[in-house]
Amino acid sequence: RSITKILSKFIKVDGKLIFITDILSISGSDTDAATGEETVSGTLPKQNTKEHSLKQRKDGDLPITVFMLPMKGTVGETMRATELQVLAQYIDENYGPGQVIVLKIHSGGGYSWTWSDLKDLIFKIRENHRVIAWIERAISAAAMTAICCDEIYYTQFGECGSCTGWSGSPNNPVSMRKQNDSIHEMEKVLARSSRTPYLAAPMVLSGKWLSYDKDPITGDFTYYDSPEGEFPVSSGDGLTLAAKQSFDAGLCDGIANTEEELLVLLNLEGAEIN
């Protein structure tokens, strides 16, 4: 069996999610390499790993619950960190670690400066819980929010991307320095979430490329910030990913139109949805 994804609190083995706290041992010739996050080329580099201790769930054996939080409207107004913070506190106080939070996103973007609050909060929550983005529409700052999550799923007609920025008017784009700052921050988030950092620039700027090769035997992806890959994702325009396009390129974890379909992909069939 092969480890297909490694994050701070869980791993995926042949697509099945296993929490770190449930692992008794791992053996195999590739064990030493499986200690970090995925790089651009799809390999796993060595890095220092710090052991984290999770507090025990209350009552010992409470079931995993899937908490569905709609995130709609303008980022910074109705789609914001406030409700997510309240939900996370409620879960910590009443359920304990290891729960699943699904951010059901339908937003055309908003105030990009508020993304920092969402980003920091999502990564903090990820220390104890599994945070999922389920995308109906995630544009601009909403797309930047989705890439912070442990996993990304789309609805059939979902879309994600187009992280352009302007100040006051669409005719007044933000400076190139600020756009490059956004790209750099997105690259760090993508790498931290085991996704290719090459996705950032094409979402923000025109004239940037993303292409990939896929090994027909192993299914491993190799990404390029140029047109040299066999399969182009961005052809130099501002990139907005469609659901199938994202899945085919290994840039999302699956497509689900209903809560029941999503639970199947999460390996949580029959779980309680709150």
Side-chain angles (χ1 to χ4, degrees), residues 12-262:
K12 275 189 173 182
V13 179
D14 292 339
K16 183 177 180 180
L17 183 138
I18 300 175
F19 279 91
I20 298 295
T21 51
D22 294 332
I23 296 174
L24 299 179
S25 65
I26 299 176
S27 62
S29 59
D30 296 329
T31 301
D32 291 340
T35 56
E37 293 182 339
E38 189 175 3
T39 65
V40 173
S41 64
T43 60
L44 295 170
K46 293 183 179 180
Q47 68 175 35
N48 293 328
T49 55
K50 183 178 179 181
E51 188 173 329
H52 300 275
S53 60
L54 299 181
K55 61 185 179 180
Q56 294 297 314
R57 293 184 192 172
K58 292 185 177 182
D59 300 329
D61 57 356
L62 287 173
I64 292 177
T65 301
V66 178
F67 294 86
M68 192 78 64
L69 180 63
M71 302 195 83
K72 298 182 178 181
T74 301
V75 175
E77 293 181 356
T78 56
M79 179 178 168
R80 55 190 183 176
T82 307
E83 287 74 21
L84 181 55
Q85 176 66 67
V86 171
L87 175 60
Q89 182 176 347
Y90 170 80
I91 293 171
D92 286 340
E93 292 175 353
N94 293 277
Y95 289 81
Q99 306 304 322
V100 179
I101 299 175
V102 176
L103 308 181
K104 190 174 184 180
I105 300 174
H106 190 112
S107 172
Y111 303 104
S112 60
W113 59 269
T114 64
W115 172 64
S116 180
D117 294 335
L118 278 164
K119 170 178 63 71
D120 293 343
L121 178 58
I122 289 172
F123 277 111
K124 180 180 179 181
I125 294 172
R126 282 178 53 176
E127 294 177 4
N128 288 319
H129 306 289
R130 183 181 175 191
V131 183
I132 309 295
W134 189 19
I135 296 172
E136 293 179 324
R137 186 169 188 252
I139 302 300
S140 197
M144 296 166 69
T145 301
I147 65 172
C148 299
C149 296
D150 288 304
E151 296 160 67
I152 297 175
Y153 297 86
Y154 285 68
T155 58
Q156 181 180 359
F157 299 108
E159 56 181 358
C160 177
S162 190
C163 302
T164 55
W166 46 271
S167 179
S169 164
N171 296 319
N172 184 31
V174 298
S175 68
M176 183 58 68
R177 181 183 64 81
K178 288 185 177 180
Q179 292 185 73
N180 285 328
D181 287 345
S182 293
I183 291 171
H184 181 60
E185 194 61 33
M186 287 172 66
E187 287 174 340
K188 291 192 293 184
V189 167
L190 287 160
R192 191 173 174 184
S193 299
S194 297
R195 301 185 185 101
T196 173
Y198 290 160
L199 178 59
M203 282 188 171
V204 177
L205 298 173
S206 296
K208 299 295 182 178
W209 282 83
L210 175 62
S211 62
Y212 67 94
D213 294 329
K214 184 175 182 180
D215 190 298
I217 298 175
T218 66
D220 291 338
F221 293 88
T222 302
Y223 299 99
Y224 306 92
D225 59 352
S226 67
E228 66 184 281
E230 180 181 0
F231 303 102
V233 179
S234 169
S235 58
D237 299 325
L239 177 61
T240 299
L241 290 163
K244 187 177 184 302
Q245 178 189 24
S246 181
F247 183 71
D248 289 346
L251 299 174
C252 77
D253 297 277
I255 300 172
N257 288 324
T258 66
E259 293 178 354
E260 291 74 19
E261 291 175 357
L262 181 63

Side-chain angles (χ1 to χ4, degrees), residues 2-4 11-17 130 265-267:
S2 60
I3 298 175
T4 55
I11 65 174
K12 275 189 173 182
V13 179
D14 292 339
K16 183 177 180 180
L17 183 138
R130 183 181 175 191
L265 296 180
L266 297 178
N267 294 309

